[in-house]
Amino acid sequence: MAPFLNGYANGGSRNLPEDPSVVEARFSDIPSQIDIPVSGLDAEEAVEVNLEELLDDPTELCTLLEQEGVGKHYWMVIALAYAKQAKVDHATEILSKGLGTLNRGNPKEKLGPLSLTCWLYLWKSREAPRVVPDGQPAGETRLKDYYLQAATGSLNEASRINPAFPPLFLARGVLYLLRASLQPPSKAAAPGAPDLSDRVETLRQSIKCFEDALRVSAGRNMMAVLGRARACFSLGKYAEALDGYQEVLIKVPNLQDPDPRIGVGCCLWQLGHKDEAREAWERALELNPDSKIANILLGLFYIHDSSHYATSDPAFGPIYKKAMTVYTQRAFKLDKEFPITCATFGSYFMMRKSWATVDSLARKAIELTDVNAVASDGWYLLARKEHYQDRPDLPKASDYYQKADLARGGGDKGYLPARFGLVQIQILQRDFDGAKFRLEKIIQQSKSTEAMMILGALYAEDVFRSQASGIKEDKSAEFKKAIALLEAVRLAWKDLQKQLTPDTSVLVYLARLYETDQPEKALQCLQQVEQMMIHEMPNKEPPDGVEADEAWKAKLREQLSPQLLNDIGCFQYHGERYDQAREFFQTALSACVKAGEKDEGIDTDALVTTISYNLARTYEAANQLEEAKQVYEGLLARHDDYTDARTRLAYIELRQNPSEEGPQAMTALYETDSSNLEVRSLFGWYLSKSKRRAANIAEDQEQRHYKHTLQHYDKHDRYSLTGMGNLYLTTAREMRRDTDQDKDKRRKTYEKAVEFYDKALQLDPRNAYAAQGIAIALVEDKKDLTAAVQLFSKIRDTIKDPSVYINLGHVFAELKQYSRSIESYEAALSHGNRASDPQILACLGRVWLLKGKLDKSPSAMKTSLSYSQRALAIAPSQIHFQFNIAFVQIQLAQLLYTLPETQRTLEDVVKASEGLEEAIASLTEIAHSKNPPYPRHDIEQRANMGRNTMRRQLERAIQSQREYEDKNAAKLAEARELREAEMRRREEERKRVEEQKEEEKRKIREERDRMAREARELAEKRAEEERRKEEAEFTTDSEGERVKRTKKKKGGKRKKKGEDSGSETEVGDGEDAADKKKSRRMKKKARSEERDSAVDESEEEGAEPKGKKKRKRLARRGKEGNFKSQELVVDSDSEGGSRPVAQTNGAEPAASGDDNEDGDTRMREPEDEEDEEDDAIVSKQSRQRNKRRIEDEDDEDEEAEAEDEDAVEEEPSAKTTAERDREEEEDEGGTRGASFADNPHGNPVDESVGAAGDAGMAEFGESSLQM
């Protein structure tokens, strides 16, 4: 007897109900009672056993069965009855005793019980824990592996009896499937390499067993199909698995336990069709509302759907609530031990921090599941629970994270959230290198933005720690990696498909990294943070208007972090946007007040102090010194020991009162805080501006101050080192260089300056002032101008100080690159408040003078003179500026004297002479001054040279220039007159040509108007002729319809039916016909020549030469100027009235008739009349078609048919008459062949197309009929 599963034999066909809503429970075929035959009694006597109320201890029942020696059927039915009541242990015990009684019989009798025992062990395996429950001894708990081994033993015993027993194939397949669930997933193999892991091999064996079961059942075992589909799903072959589930659903549509719709939905989900998966699960839930797996899967669907929205999005709440309350909670109520439900609910309680509930649910998910992914979720919940504790157990959390990762395969196939958890644990344990290594692997495999964010932050922290420690360590690689990773995350935010939420921490890290080298990018990052924070605020409608909008934004900024606003203000300050910086600092102060109201733990006093100091510095930089002083004094009122504020106040006093109050404030500051390095630095700067020059540097007061600072306060004070370098540099510049000994001493002084600069650079590689000192030393000592340019260019990119541009201007001037030198000086002049710096103006005057001398350009020297005069105007007490003006005036006079007459003017020479007189006076005055810039003797000699030699030279130059200009004045006037005359002649010629063109255009317009007028007159004439002809040819019949007047033919003879129409006689070879044709051709040719002579220039605008005429239908045209031919009516003797023979241009027929239902017959334009033989053939074919048409119709009246034939036969005579009429009109000289101006193509109307009644129209009367 075959073993039963769910009440049916393995592989047997089940008579399932046709209605899918009818559900059959498992074990539904187990009877409610069974009769056990008793030996020794009558054959009909038996012991009745109630299978619905079984004993808790089956020992007595087993004893009865053993004593009576019943067959295997009784043992199996009773065992199934116990299994139905979930007493699987009793069932296996009964089968074990039954197998003992069957040992004495045929071994094949044991196949059924052994197979059933195997299935029961498999059942127990699914319910057994995966691992030893927490708190229980390992030896007392039977795990899944124990029952799988027991099932393997039963299966092996049955296989030894009969390995081909059909039910064993299905059982072996399920056994392999469950064994594979306990094996860890395979790790990622090399690309293209086969996966040879134990789990994959076990699943393949499972598929082979299921295929064997299908083979022996001839494809009827649907459980085998389901098992194969499940194995394919585990192997990742989702398309094959989907085919298997669909096959079962097609063959057994009412199967619900197990439900193939669940498998269909899972496959669709893995294939990316999530909405279709939801539909499959909803159908499963519709058929079985108590399906726990359908409920939990739908819950997971809606949880996944809610993940597409931010938690602050209004759409998130309803979806998540539906997932948890409608589906997940329902599934949990149906089965509180279901592993996937426990894992899902555990995540919910994790957010609520119900740690005990999370622990219980997570362990159920781990212990009871057959799916590695669910076990991984359980381990992950335990790890998070440990991780989130106030005092986390980091080793235990790390262990749980590793187990969660390994449950999904580990390595490249592991669980990404668990690996992130491991990274976080490593960071907490200060294992930064291990965290970086793990994050690098994650990024290589998944390109995760979260991993890039964390790794970028770790590299950024390395850079920041290095900067804070002051240790010289190259962190450029970490810096570049941090920038690249964080910028990649920032770029990923713009991908709408990823739907990533921007994180402000990424922008803050980038701002800190960009702070030194790229401050503008840092500012952009902080501004983006500001916009994100404003966007996250509750929605408020902005007011109308630009000013109101700005006020609204400023109001919103007050709710932001004061630290953020302060940072933005600092970047605006360094960008020299002082107004914007001031606004941000003021808003930050307001934000401090509101932040203190929200959180009393914030140190608002420190924030207000820092921001107020920054605001005062902004006022100071914007030259609003009074406002700055008020802020500094306010800070000192709150903190009287705030040295920085006192230092800035002393500096402001020095700027405003450099002679009295400033020095007093500086002295008072130095006496109170002489140990403060900032105060000592400011005092050193004050000494450099106010000291007297000392002959010996050792006696210099500034040098002593810096030396004292380095010896007693800080030997690494960078300001003092740089100041010492400046002192030695200045001293070396002023040293004598007459002898070699002087030069050597000067060289050593330069080297001493470079040593101090180098020391400062070693302490601060970004000290641009020290680097600038080295560059100056290179220029002045070694004349290495090229290296100096490179250094100054790098320094210019580092600091925005006018001195850098001034030094660049000096170097370019030495290199004789005067244009670049002028650019540098002008850049220094436009920088900050240096627009009125007399030193820069003097430098510009010098370089323009050099450029003028090099190019021999008086304009350049005039520019030099202008700059020198501006410098003197700003500093009139500086006598050397006065000397510069005199020197430029003398140089300009010398240049103009040497220039030829053609390159100068009398006015220039006269002004130069006047300037020379001013220079002589200035030099005389400078020579008698107290401290002249040069020796008095040299200045007096230059004045005497100008007074004697140059004055006479300029007098001669003025005289020669005057003679030259007078001599050439007449020539210039004559040339000017000739040029003006030539210009007048060209203008007259141009006007004449334009007038000719206008006249030609006027004639063309008049000719066109004339042609249009003639065309209108001709059209009116033709219309009048048409109207008269119509009145003469048509009349009104008794019914009120217009019909053509009938003409009685004289001597005409009715032709009999079947005779020719006589058209052949019209195309005969008689002399009269030939003469008439020739006459018509000559007349037509004459008309054509007359028409061609009337065509003028309008042919060039669109007219085309007319080629050989082609036969075509005459269609109605809506454009004016084209005339349609009138209807051609042939008399009829029938009582039915007249019937039209031909209709043109789609006109409606004049009278209705039985034989004329087609209104689309149209006339054709005839070809040249020379081709009359073709016309006869066309006429004959037309008669044949007309004849066929008449024969096909169902005529009820024979008389009407005869009348139709008579009308057809009369056409030749009508044609002859029409032809004669046409010839008469041609003799009258008709103008139908003229072209019309309003024809868009300029084509003339064909002469062969005339009005109704023309002879040419009747010629084709019969051939125009179309069937």
Side-chain angles (χ1 to χ4, degrees):
M1 178 178 177
F4 283 80
L5 179 64
N6 297 351
Y8 296 96
N10 287 328
S13 62
R14 298 174 57 179
N15 296 322
L16 297 173
E18 297 181 358
D19 186 5
S21 62
V22 178
V23 180
E24 282 194 359
R26 294 192 181 189
F27 305 103
S28 58
D29 285 355
I30 300 299
S32 60
Q33 60 186 11
I34 188 172
D35 295 335
I36 299 175
V38 181
S39 60
L41 301 178
D42 295 338
E44 296 180 358
E45 292 183 4
V47 177
E48 181 179 304
V49 178
N50 188 352
L51 297 181
E52 294 180 353
E53 297 179 359
L54 294 170
L55 299 174
D56 293 337
D57 187 1
T59 304
E60 296 182 2
L61 187 56
C62 291
T63 302
L64 175 62
L65 295 175
E66 290 175 353
Q67 292 176 352
E68 300 301 330
V70 298
K72 65 178 181 180
H73 169 70
Y74 295 96
W75 292 95
M76 295 178 64
V77 170
I78 293 173
L80 287 171
Y82 272 98
K84 181 179 179 180
Q85 298 180 10
K87 299 177 181 179
V88 184
D89 292 335
H90 294 332
T92 54
E93 182 183 353
I94 291 171
L95 289 174
S96 177
K97 293 181 179 180
L99 287 170
T101 61
L102 295 175
N103 285 331
R104 297 182 294 271
N106 187 358
K108 291 186 178 181
E109 290 293 321
K110 298 170 60 177
L111 289 175
L114 286 172
S115 178
L116 182 55
T117 302
C118 177
W119 282 108
L120 292 176
Y121 282 134
L122 294 176
W123 186 357
K124 287 291 291 183
S125 173
R126 297 209 62 188
E127 295 180 350
R130 185 187 187 96
V131 295
V132 178
D134 190 25
Q136 294 186 10
E140 297 180 1
T141 303
R142 293 181 177 179
L143 305 180
K144 291 181 180 293
D145 188 62
Y146 170 82
Y147 291 105
L148 289 179
Q149 292 179 3
T152 304
S154 300
L155 195 60
N156 290 337
E157 186 178 352
S159 298
R160 285 193 292 268
I161 298 173
N162 185 6
F165 186 53
L168 299 182
F169 295 120
L170 184 64
R172 189 177 290 109
V174 174
L175 176 62
Y176 281 126
L177 201 60
L178 293 177
R179 185 177 294 168
S181 67
L182 298 179
Q183 296 171 341
S186 59
K187 295 184 179 180
D195 193 346
L196 302 177
S197 63
D198 294 340
R199 181 174 178 273
V200 172
E201 291 298 326
T202 303
L203 289 173
R204 290 173 181 169
Q205 290 292 332
S206 174
I207 292 176
K208 183 177 182 301
C209 293
F210 288 131
E211 289 176 349
D212 290 340
L214 278 173
R215 176 176 50 78
V216 298
S217 65
R220 293 180 300 151
N221 193 334
M222 294 297 101
M223 295 299 110
V225 179
L226 287 174
R228 183 181 60 185
R230 178 66 181 85
C232 290
F233 185 90
S234 299
L235 287 171
K237 300 177 181 180
Y238 304 117
E240 296 182 23
L242 179 60
D243 294 339
Y245 287 121
Q246 289 176 337
E247 178 185 352
V248 175
L249 195 59
I250 292 172
K251 292 182 179 180
V252 192
N254 51 358
L255 180 62
Q256 297 182 25
D257 188 14
D259 194 341
R261 298 167 189 84
I262 301 298
V264 169
C266 292
C267 293
L268 291 171
W269 179 278
Q270 293 293 341
L271 292 171
H273 308 293
K274 293 181 171 53
D275 290 332
E276 289 80 357
R278 173 183 54 81
E279 293 175 359
W281 295 331
E282 287 178 346
R283 175 58 178 162
L285 190 63
E286 179 183 352
L287 296 177
N288 184 12
D290 294 334
S291 174
K292 57 185 179 182
I293 183 62
N295 274 286
I296 189 57
L297 288 175
L298 284 171
L300 291 173
F301 171 83
Y302 285 106
I303 290 175
H304 176 269
D305 191 23
S306 67
S307 65
H308 296 119
Y309 304 93
T311 54
S312 59
D313 195 317
F316 173 81
I319 299 175
Y320 188 77
K321 183 178 180 180
K322 182 178 183 180
M324 299 307 299
T325 60
V326 177
Y327 295 108
T328 307
Q329 189 174 11
R330 171 67 175 165
F332 189 73
K333 289 180 179 179
L334 291 172
D335 187 357
K336 295 183 180 180
E337 306 293 328
F338 196 44
I340 189 172
T341 307
C342 294
T344 305
F345 246 141
S347 299
Y348 170 75
F349 285 106
M350 175 69 68
M351 292 187 295
R352 301 185 65 178
K353 296 184 178 181
S354 299
W355 308 125
T357 307
V358 172
D359 186 84
S360 174
L361 294 173
R363 294 193 180 279
K364 286 183 180 179
I366 296 169
E367 295 167 2
L368 302 178
T369 185
D370 291 328
V371 181
N372 289 317
V374 177
S376 175
D377 291 339
W379 290 117
Y380 183 67
L381 287 173
L382 291 176
R384 290 179 64 193
K385 186 205 73 168
E386 294 295 336
H387 192 177
Y388 290 172
Q389 300 296 323
D390 294 335
R391 294 182 178 179
D393 188 347
L394 298 181
K396 184 182 290 186
S398 177
D399 181 57
Y400 289 154
Y401 278 132
Q402 288 180 354
K403 289 182 178 179
D405 184 39
L406 292 174
R408 276 187 163 91
D412 297 345
K413 288 187 176 182
Y415 191 33
L416 189 59
R419 295 160 73 183
F420 272 118
L422 280 170
V423 169
Q424 293 173 343
I425 296 297
Q426 288 177 320
I427 293 174
L428 291 176
Q429 293 175 341
R430 314 295 293 177
D431 184 11
F432 299 118
D433 292 336
K436 291 176 188 176
F437 177 77
R438 195 177 294 275
L439 287 170
E440 293 280 4
K441 296 291 289 184
I442 293 174
I443 293 173
Q444 291 177 3
Q445 297 157 10
S446 63
K447 302 296 181 183
S448 170
T449 54
E450 291 82 0
M452 289 190 287
M453 188 187 309
I454 298 175
L455 184 58
L458 289 176
Y459 282 127
E461 290 293 341
D462 286 346
V463 176
F464 301 151
R465 281 194 298 270
S466 177
Q467 293 174 351
S469 64
I471 301 175
K472 291 184 178 181
E473 188 175 0
D474 186 13
K475 292 292 182 180
S476 58
E478 287 80 359
F479 179 84
K480 293 179 181 178
K481 288 181 180 179
I483 291 288
L485 291 167
L486 295 176
E487 283 291 356
V489 174
R490 189 181 181 188
L491 182 63
W493 295 343
K494 299 179 182 179
D495 191 350
L496 299 179
Q497 295 181 352
K498 295 182 179 179
Q499 295 182 347
L500 299 175
T501 303
D503 192 338
T504 56
S505 63
V506 174
L507 297 170
V508 173
Y509 272 117
L510 282 172
R512 291 186 63 186
L513 291 169
Y514 285 135
E515 179 180 1
T516 304
D517 296 330
Q518 297 173 300
E520 291 300 323
K521 285 189 176 182
L523 177 60
Q524 292 175 4
C525 293
L526 293 179
Q527 288 174 339
Q528 188 175 351
V529 173
E530 177 195 7
Q531 294 298 325
M532 290 168 57
M533 289 185 172
I534 292 177
H535 181 71
E536 293 174 358
M537 292 180 182
N539 292 329
K540 296 179 181 179
E541 292 296 330
D544 297 332
V546 178
E547 295 181 359
D549 183 60
E550 292 297 328
W552 174 72
K553 288 182 179 179
K555 193 72 175 177
L556 290 179
R557 286 194 184 105
E558 294 179 358
Q559 304 178 25
L560 299 178
S561 168
Q563 294 91 335
L564 173 64
L565 297 173
N566 180 65
D567 291 342
I568 295 177
C570 290
F571 281 109
Q572 297 286 9
Y573 173 86
H574 288 294
E576 298 182 358
R577 295 177 287 270
Y578 302 123
D579 293 337
Q580 299 179 21
R582 184 182 65 254
E583 293 177 1
F584 274 98
F585 289 137
Q586 291 172 347
T587 307
L589 290 174
S590 301
C592 286
V593 177
K594 294 189 175 182
E597 294 174 355
K598 294 179 182 179
D599 187 0
E600 297 180 356
I602 298 177
D603 188 2
T604 56
D605 181 68
L607 286 173
V608 170
T609 301
T610 302
I611 298 171
S612 298
Y613 178 81
N614 292 338
L615 178 61
R617 289 299 305 270
T618 305
Y619 282 131
E620 191 178 343
N623 206 26
Q624 299 176 1
L625 301 181
E626 295 300 325
E627 290 81 353
K629 287 175 66 175
Q630 292 178 4
V631 178
Y632 287 137
E633 290 171 355
L635 287 173
L636 290 174
R638 296 172 57 189
H639 304 281
D640 56 354
D641 58 344
Y642 196 2
T643 305
D644 290 338
R646 295 183 61 199
T647 303
R648 300 312 303 176
L649 277 175
Y651 175 74
I652 292 174
E653 289 294 338
L654 282 172
R655 289 183 58 184
Q656 291 180 333
N657 302 295
S659 58
E660 296 181 1
E661 296 180 2
Q664 292 176 3
M666 188 68 250
T667 303
L669 174 66
Y670 186 70
E671 290 177 355
T672 56
D673 293 309
S674 60
S675 61
N676 188 289
L677 291 178
E678 294 294 332
V679 174
R680 297 189 68 84
S681 299
L682 180 61
F683 190 73
W685 173 84
Y686 164 70
L687 291 176
S688 67
K689 299 297 181 182
S690 60
K691 70 178 181 178
R692 294 182 179 180
R693 293 185 180 180
N696 187 2
I697 191 173
E699 300 175 357
D700 189 273
Q701 189 177 3
E702 182 185 2
Q703 190 266 352
R704 291 179 178 180
H705 173 74
Y706 291 142
K707 186 176 181 180
H708 187 265
T709 301
L710 293 172
Q711 288 179 347
H712 298 90
Y713 292 96
D714 185 4
K715 65 178 180 179
H716 299 303
D717 183 36
R718 290 167 292 180
Y719 187 88
S720 298
L721 290 171
T722 306
M724 290 288 285
N726 292 337
L727 281 173
Y728 278 98
L729 185 67
T730 305
T731 303
R733 184 183 299 137
E734 296 175 355
M735 292 178 67
R736 299 176 61 89
R737 62 195 90 173
D738 298 335
T739 64
D740 293 340
Q741 185 179 1
D742 293 338
K743 293 179 181 179
D744 186 63
K745 186 177 180 180
R746 182 173 179 268
R747 179 181 57 79
K748 291 181 178 179
T749 307
Y750 273 118
E751 292 177 353
K752 189 72 173 178
V754 171
E755 289 179 3
F756 281 108
Y757 289 137
D758 185 63
K759 181 65 175 178
L761 283 173
Q762 291 178 9
L763 296 171
D764 182 12
R766 297 181 178 274
N767 191 335
Y769 299 99
Q772 187 172 210
I774 292 177
I776 294 172
L778 285 174
V779 174
E780 295 179 355
D781 181 28
K782 298 184 179 180
K783 305 299 181 182
D784 192 353
L785 301 177
T786 304
V789 168
Q790 295 177 356
L791 280 174
F792 283 129
S793 299
K794 293 181 180 180
I795 296 168
R796 178 187 57 191
D797 299 335
T798 304
I799 59 174
K800 297 179 180 179
D801 191 84
S803 62
V804 183
Y805 294 97
I806 294 172
N807 291 327
L808 271 174
H810 293 341
V811 176
F812 285 132
E814 292 294 328
L815 291 171
K816 296 185 179 181
Q817 298 180 14
Y818 299 124
S819 297
R820 298 182 68 179
S821 177
I822 291 170
E823 291 177 1
S824 299
Y825 286 137
E826 289 178 347
L829 198 65
S830 62
H831 188 85
N833 55 357
R834 305 294 292 272
S836 300
D837 191 326
Q839 297 295 336
I840 302 177
L841 293 172
C843 291
L844 277 169
R846 173 177 172 271
V847 74
W848 273 109
L849 176 64
L850 296 174
K851 182 176 176 60
K853 292 177 67 176
L854 179 66
D855 299 339
K856 295 184 179 181
S857 171
S859 61
M861 288 196 173
K862 291 177 182 178
T863 305
S864 172
L865 181 61
S866 174
Y867 278 115
S868 300
Q869 290 171 346
R870 286 174 59 186
L872 181 62
I874 295 171
S877 61
Q878 300 293 329
I879 196 171
H880 60 278
F881 290 156
Q882 187 178 359
F883 177 84
N884 291 342
I885 295 174
F887 183 78
V888 173
Q889 288 172 336
I890 292 175
Q891 294 295 323
L892 179 59
Q894 288 179 349
L895 177 64
L896 288 173
Y897 172 73
T898 58
L899 288 177
E901 290 84 351
T902 57
Q903 296 181 12
R904 67 188 182 189
T905 64
L906 179 61
E907 183 181 1
D908 293 337
V909 180
V910 171
K911 288 184 177 180
S913 178
E914 295 173 356
L916 178 63
E917 296 299 329
E918 295 177 0
I920 293 171
S922 297
L923 291 174
T924 303
E925 181 183 355
I926 294 169
H928 293 86
S929 63
K930 185 177 181 181
N931 295 312
Y934 295 98
R936 288 187 177 89
H937 178 71
D938 294 343
I939 297 174
E940 289 176 352
Q941 281 186 349
R942 188 173 292 274
N944 292 332
M945 183 184 66
R947 190 179 295 113
N948 299 323
T949 306
M950 294 188 65
R951 181 181 291 174
R952 290 193 296 270
Q953 289 176 348
L954 283 180
E955 289 175 356
R956 289 195 298 271
I958 291 172
Q959 182 64 28
S960 64
Q961 188 69 25
R962 183 178 289 112
E963 292 176 357
Y964 172 77
E965 293 185 0
D966 292 343
K967 180 179 179 181
N968 292 289
K971 294 181 179 180
L972 291 174
E974 182 180 358
R976 190 178 298 109
E977 290 178 0
L978 291 175
R979 184 171 179 274
E980 292 176 354
E982 179 65 19
M983 292 179 65
R984 286 194 299 272
R985 186 188 65 78
R986 292 179 181 179
E987 182 67 19
E988 291 174 357
E989 181 68 19
R990 184 183 63 81
K991 291 182 178 179
R992 186 182 64 78
V993 173
E994 290 181 354
E995 290 175 357
Q996 290 180 354
K997 291 182 180 179
E998 291 294 330
E999 181 66 19
E1000 292 176 358
K1001 292 180 180 178
R1002 184 186 62 77
K1003 290 181 180 179
I1004 292 173
R1005 286 195 298 269
E1006 291 178 355
E1007 184 67 18
R1008 288 177 178 174
D1009 294 340
R1010 182 188 63 77
M1011 293 175 63
R1013 186 169 58 255
E1014 291 178 356
R1016 286 194 297 271
E1017 292 174 358
L1018 180 59
E1020 293 173 358
K1021 182 178 179 181
R1022 290 291 301 272
E1024 183 64 23
E1025 291 177 357
E1026 296 290 342
R1027 187 182 61 76
R1028 288 199 304 268
K1029 289 181 181 180
E1030 184 178 358
E1031 291 178 355
E1033 294 178 2
F1034 287 84
T1035 185
T1036 305
D1037 60 3
S1038 58
E1039 296 179 358
E1041 297 181 356
R1042 296 279 292 174
V1043 296
K1044 191 172 183 179
R1045 298 178 186 272
T1046 59
K1047 295 181 181 181
K1048 300 295 184 178
K1049 293 181 285 293
K1050 298 178 181 180
K1053 180 180 179 181
R1054 284 180 75 89
K1055 294 184 180 289
K1056 295 182 179 180
K1057 185 176 182 180
E1059 293 182 357
D1060 294 336
S1061 62
S1063 61
E1064 295 178 0
T1065 61
E1066 296 178 4
V1067 294
D1069 299 327
E1071 262 183 46
D1072 295 338
D1075 293 339
K1076 290 180 180 180
K1077 294 184 182 71
K1078 185 175 181 181
S1079 176
R1080 284 197 299 272
R1081 286 195 299 271
M1082 293 177 66
K1083 290 179 180 180
K1084 183 166 68 174
K1085 182 176 181 182
R1087 286 197 303 272
S1088 177
E1089 292 175 356
E1090 182 181 356
R1091 180 176 67 252
D1092 294 338
S1093 65
V1095 178
D1096 56 1
E1097 297 176 358
S1098 62
E1099 291 179 349
E1100 299 176 359
E1101 300 179 2
E1104 297 178 357
K1106 184 171 66 176
K1108 183 179 179 180
K1109 297 180 182 178
K1110 296 182 180 180
R1111 182 175 298 167
K1112 60 181 180 180
R1113 295 184 182 180
L1114 184 63
R1116 182 189 297 265
R1117 298 183 183 273
K1119 295 185 179 180
E1120 187 178 355
N1122 294 337
F1123 297 93
K1124 70 174 184 178
S1125 60
Q1126 298 293 338
E1127 299 171 352
L1128 180 63
V1129 181
V1130 180
D1131 296 339
S1132 176
D1133 295 335
S1134 63
E1135 296 178 0
S1138 61
R1139 180 177 67 84
V1141 177
Q1143 197 78 14
T1144 64
N1145 291 335
E1148 295 293 334
S1152 61
D1154 296 336
D1155 298 330
N1156 189 23
E1157 296 176 1
D1158 296 332
D1160 58 349
T1161 58
R1162 292 179 174 80
M1163 297 183 63
R1164 301 173 183 260
E1165 275 189 26
E1167 294 182 17
D1168 289 340
E1169 296 178 8
E1170 299 174 359
D1171 201 1
E1172 296 186 9
E1173 184 176 355
D1174 293 340
D1175 295 340
I1177 296 173
V1178 172
S1179 177
K1180 184 176 180 180
Q1181 293 175 351
S1182 178
R1183 287 198 306 273
Q1184 292 175 357
R1185 290 195 301 271
N1186 191 22
K1187 182 176 179 181
R1188 287 196 300 271
R1189 176 185 175 188
I1190 294 172
E1191 290 175 355
D1192 292 341
E1193 295 178 353
D1194 295 334
D1195 297 330
E1196 296 179 359
D1197 192 351
E1198 294 294 336
E1199 184 177 354
E1201 182 178 354
E1203 290 174 358
D1204 292 340
E1205 294 175 354
D1206 292 341
V1208 174
E1209 292 173 354
E1210 289 175 359
E1211 287 184 11
S1213 60
K1215 175 180 177 183
T1216 307
T1217 304
E1219 184 177 6
R1220 288 197 299 270
D1221 294 339
R1222 178 181 177 186
E1223 290 175 355
E1224 292 173 2
E1225 286 197 33
E1226 289 177 350
D1227 293 338
E1228 293 175 0
T1231 58
R1232 296 184 180 91
S1235 62
F1236 294 90
D1238 56 350
N1239 188 343
H1241 299 292
N1243 295 329
V1245 178
D1246 199 335
E1247 297 91 344
S1248 62
V1249 179
D1254 290 349
M1257 296 298 294
E1259 183 175 348
F1260 291 91
E1262 185 175 351
S1263 64
S1264 63
L1265 291 173
Q1266 298 181 8
M1267 295 296 110

